[in-house]
């Protein structure tokens, strides 16, 4: 067992003067490749920033006349949309907010339970069947979701609630809830899987059950990732256009209940852009400003929520 | 009296034969050190004692692991076993919650909500882990604010809180500096009066300082075990002699 390592039988020349010279010369050279790549990195990073700035600039530039024409309060809080006379998008703000929130209320619990199931509970073979299905859901074009809503959800609402037209806020909520599933599931599952194994081991070693471990250790530890998923889901719901146009009826009146037809901010832009001119066209850009502000608020709320936890 | 009796234990990870015919008695209220080079099976053996190996796929176990005469692999209640046989890990792994919540965690997992019981247990456990004086004024601050050594003692307190008989320690000081290590060793000297301790360690000096019994593992085999004194000064096996003298490993 105590074998000794044989000493080298020959002396080696460890230093190679020619190589040392080459290394020194290389160290003196200006690193052009590095500089070029640094520039490329910077330019690429700036493209995103410039795009956001440009979009914001032109939205404000084009949208400002309509807001000046209607007055900011009337524009945001007014519930009458009769171009070219009245430009109030209050009803559409309500429609967008309610449909997105409704989608979150239905979609997030389902997504969260699915994510836990995939990350912690399901046997491998089952998770490997469900995960591709969820990922496929993410790739389905929103116009196809619209079909799904028209063929299944809208008639179901008509027969369940006995209303003449099933194209309602509720239909929008259900379709959006399904649409945000893949976003929330994928991000939540990834963040649950990213939790160090040591948490789980520590919890099991104290005799805690798998369920207790998931609820008390895993979910809190994955909190910031899960929140990010939820916010991205909300952003997707607020920004969704095509499917919403197909299932929500697009009435400009203030919806009185979930069983009323409604028009979202995005739908408003898409429906009228083709024929609007003058102040009317400008008002659609203003609608876009409101959407942009919504998304900014969402992102900020995520930052604030995550910062609170760190303290 | 023996707390654990390991008999003819064979363990495979898939095709790897990680433990080969292990026979090891672990005496009650003594410190047993498991030593040997990396990959020799000492941590694997430690993890069979509270069935943490159940979490790994493709593990097959043959033979007997008896705790107080009862085979722990026959009994289906793993949670009860793990409460009786607590474990402290190589890297301190407090949960992302307050110091108090960390120590109360094991009790809450069993549905104990009585504030008085929880408060008392948390204090006793923290005192037993020699941490109370350092944290009593900030029980509600996050456990991550503690130093590495404090975190490890918190993990020991967390384990003590569930009232175990045995504490398993998997290289508990390998990530700590000498001063923090010294504190943990002092603590172990206190704990040996109340608990059976099994410790895996890479440091032979540590095994010598703190253990009553030492078992030397080599490539999945238990080469030799006995009183620490004897294993270090008069080892029977050639491989043990080489290892404890620092000739290899």
């Amino acid at each position: 067992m105590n074998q000794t390592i044989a000493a080298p039988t020959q002396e080696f020349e460890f230093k190679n003067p020619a190589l040392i010279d080459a290394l020194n010369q290389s160290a003196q050279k200006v690193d052009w490749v590095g500089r070029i790549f640094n520039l490329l990195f910077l330019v690429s990073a700036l493209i995103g920033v410039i795009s956001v700035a440009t979009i914001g600039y032109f939205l404000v530039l084009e949208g400002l006349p309509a807001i000046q024409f209607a007055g900011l309060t009337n524009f945001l809080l007014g519930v009458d949309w009769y171009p070219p006379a009245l430009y109030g998008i209050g009803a559409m703000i309500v429609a967008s907010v309610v449909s997105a929130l409704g989608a979150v209320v239905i979609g997030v619990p389902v997504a969260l339970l699915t994510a836990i199931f995939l990350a912690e509970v399901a046997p491998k073979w089952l998770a490997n069947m469900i995960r591709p299905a969820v990922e496929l859901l993410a790739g389905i074009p929103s116009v196809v979701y619209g079909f799904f809503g028209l063929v299944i959800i809208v008639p179901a609402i008509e027969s369940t609630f006995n209303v003449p037209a099933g194209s309602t806020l509720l239909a929008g909520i259900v379709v959006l809830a399904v649409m945000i599933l893949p976003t929330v599931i994928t991000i939540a599952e990834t963040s649950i899987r990213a939790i160090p194994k040591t948490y789980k081991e520590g919890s099991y070693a104290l005799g805690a059950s798998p369920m207790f471990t998931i609820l008390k250790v895993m979910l809190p530890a994955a909190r910031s990732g899960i929140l990010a998923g939820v916010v991205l889901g909300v952003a997707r719901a607020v920004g969704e256009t095509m499917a919403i146009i197909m299932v929500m009826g697009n009435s400009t009146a203030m919806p009185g209940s979930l069983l009323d037809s409604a028009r979202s901010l995005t739908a408003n832009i898409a429906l009228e852009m083709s024929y609007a001119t003058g102040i009317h066209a400008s008002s659609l850009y203003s609608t876009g400003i409101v959407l942009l502000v919504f998304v900014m608020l969402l992102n900020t709320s995520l930052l604030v929520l995550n910062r609170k936890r760190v303290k | 009296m023996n707390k654990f009796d390991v008999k003819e234990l064979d363990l495979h990870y898939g095709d790897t034969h990680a433990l080969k015919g292990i026979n090891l008695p672990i005496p009650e209220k003594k410190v047993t050190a498991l030593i040997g080079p990396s990959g020799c099976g000492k941590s694997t053996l430690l993890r069979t004692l509270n069935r943490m190996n159940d979490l790994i796929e493709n593990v097959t176990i043959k033979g007997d692991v008896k705790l107080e005469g009862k085979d722990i692999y026959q009994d289906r209640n793993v949670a009860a076993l793990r409460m009786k046989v607590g474990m402290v890990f190589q890297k301190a792994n407090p949960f992302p919650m307050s110091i108090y919540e960390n120590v109360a965690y094991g009790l809450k997992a069993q549905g104990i909500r009585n504030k008085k019981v929880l408060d008392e247990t948390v204090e006793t456990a923290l005192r037993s882990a020699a941490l109370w004086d350092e944290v009593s004024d900030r029980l509600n601050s996050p456990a991550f604010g503690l130093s590495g050594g404090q975190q490890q003692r918190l993990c020991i307190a967390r384990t003590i809180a569930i009232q175990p008989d045995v504490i398993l320690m998997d290289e508990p000081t390998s990530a700590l500096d000498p001063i923090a290590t010294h504190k943990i060793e002092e603590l172990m000297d206190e704990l040996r009066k109340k608990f059976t301790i099994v410790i895996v360690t890479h440091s032979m000096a540590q095994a010598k300082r703190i253990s009553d019994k030492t078992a030397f593992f080599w490539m999945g085999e238990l080469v030799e075990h006995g009183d620490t004194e004897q294993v270090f000064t008069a080892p029977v096996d050639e491989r043990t002699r080489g290892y404890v003298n620092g000739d290899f490993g």
Side-chain angles (χ1 to χ4, degrees), chain A residues 198-199 201 203-205 207 217, chain B residues 47 55 82 93 105 110 144:
Chain A
T198 56
Y199 286 172
E201 283 189 337
S203 178
Y204 283 13
V217 179
Chain B
R47 284 164 171 264
L55 298 183
R82 290 183 183 149
N93 58 346
Y105 183 88
Q110 301 308 320
F144 291 154

Side-chain angles (χ1 to χ4, degrees), chain A residues 169-253:
Chain A
L169 252 181
L170 183 62
I173 287 173
V174 174
V175 171
L176 286 179
V178 179
M179 289 186 82
I180 66 171
L181 284 181
T183 313
V184 185
I185 291 172
T186 309
I187 296 177
E189 193 203 341
T190 310
S191 54
I192 291 173
R193 282 187 185 279
I195 300 170
K197 243 204 195 111
T198 56
Y199 286 172
K200 193 160 130 185
E201 283 189 337
S203 178
Y204 283 13
L206 291 166
S209 68
M211 259 331 121
F212 192 85
T213 306
I214 288 169
L215 293 178
K216 297 290 172 176
V217 179
M218 311 286 274
L219 283 189
R223 185 175 173 277
S224 68
I226 291 170
L227 273 177
V230 171
V231 168
L232 282 179
V234 179
R236 167 132 208 228
V238 169
E240 178 46 41
T241 313
M242 198 61 216
I244 287 293
I245 292 177
M246 291 168 78
V247 302
M248 247 168 47
N250 307 317
S251 145
T252 58

Side-chain angles (χ1 to χ4, degrees), chain A residues 8-87:
Chain A
T9 47
Q10 232 178 300
E11 284 292 321
F12 289 100
E13 194 60 62
F14 284 105
K15 299 228 170 191
N16 177 344
L19 185 57
I20 292 172
D21 277 354
L23 291 171
N24 280 340
Q25 264 175 24
S26 162
Q28 300 297 323
K29 266 189 215 151
V30 178
D31 181 9
W32 285 110
V33 177
R35 287 190 184 187
I36 289 167
F37 267 95
N38 275 343
L39 194 69
L40 272 177
F41 293 142
L42 182 66
V43 169
S44 307
L46 283 178
I47 287 176
V49 178
I50 292 169
S51 305
V52 165
T54 317
I55 291 171
Y57 175 75
F58 280 103
L59 271 184
V60 172
L61 197 71
E62 298 284 337
L64 222 45
I67 294 178
Q68 278 165 344
F69 175 83
L72 185 61
T73 334
N74 281 338
F75 180 69
L76 291 178
L77 303 180
V79 293
D80 295 309
W81 178 263
Y82 297 118
L86 294 170
Y87 296 101

Side-chain angles (χ1 to χ4, degrees), chain B residues 16-30:
Chain B
T16 316
H17 199 173
L19 290 174
K20 300 169 187 165
I22 306 294
N23 286 294
L24 179 67
I26 293 171
E28 189 169 13
K29 294 199 177 147
K30 294 268 197 284

